[in-house]
Amino acid sequence: MTQPATRRAVLTTGAGALALGCVGCGSSGTGGGSSAPASPSGKAASPAPSGTATASPSGKQASPAGRELARTADIPEGGGKIFPSEKVVVTQPKKGEFKAFSAICTHEGCTVSKVMNGTIDCPCHGSRFHIADGSVAQGPAARPLPPKSIKVEENSVRLV
Ligand code: FES
């Protein structure tokens, strides 16, 4: 007869200990408040506007839209010009229509070396790409030259 009473006592004591534990948790949770992440902080929400991108609408940057690559007059109509340091080729397939592509050949990574007869040519293995869309005109390259973003404003071709 003493054993069930002892069990009850143990269970009661255990429940009491649990209750105390919960009370302890509740009080420390209420009084602590050290890491309450629920409040929407009003001012510290901007992640990192350090000004690396130029497309910010804040309008504080001096450059209008990227760096000038060339004047439009520098890009021959029906041809193009390669900018090796920027790894970009700018073409003008039709009068007033400017396109830009990566100057890195998609075959094995050589830099294209000339633009003539409507194609952008790689010197390494003879691949050629159409100036209008960068698509492959002649292999061994199998993929087109990836397009690059440019903006043409006031006779200036800018890389954006
Ligand atoms: Fe251009 Fe091979 S790297 S054709």
Side-chain angles (χ1 to χ4, degrees):
M1 291 279 274
T2 56
Q3 283 186 352
T6 305
R7 274 192 193 156
R8 266 189 216 145
V10 168
L11 286 176
T12 306
T13 306
L18 284 177
L20 281 176
C22 288
V23 167
C25 288
S27 70
S28 78
T30 307
S34 61
S35 65
S39 78
S41 61
K43 287 197 173 184
S46 57
S50 300
T52 50
T54 57
S56 168
S58 59
K60 284 226 173 187
Q61 299 286 339
S63 67
R67 193 156 64 88
E68 181 176 272
L69 268 180
R71 306 299 293 173
T72 53
D74 298 336
I75 313 298
E77 185 182 337
K81 185 172 180 181
I82 297 163
F83 299 88
S85 57
E86 288 83 3
K87 297 179 173 47
V88 172
V89 55
V90 178
T91 63
Q92 186 179 187
K94 296 179 189 169
K95 185 177 175 67
E97 178 184 298
F98 296 90
K99 302 283 181 85
F101 307 98
S102 167
I104 305 303
C105 179
T106 57
H107 177 230
E108 288 186 0
C110 291
T111 302
V112 297
S113 62
K114 65 182 178 186
V115 182
M116 71 180 336
N117 299 325
T119 58
I120 303 161
D121 302 348
C122 179
C124 291
H125 311 99
S127 289
R128 296 187 302 162
F129 305 88
H130 294 288
I131 62 169
D133 58 6
S135 62
V136 175
Q138 175 181 304
R143 291 172 290 126
L145 294 176
K148 293 284 188 177
S149 293
I150 55 169
K151 187 165 190 171
V152 180
E153 275 183 347
E154 298 177 4
N155 300 321
S156 173
V157 180
R158 295 182 177 276
L159 195 58
V160 293

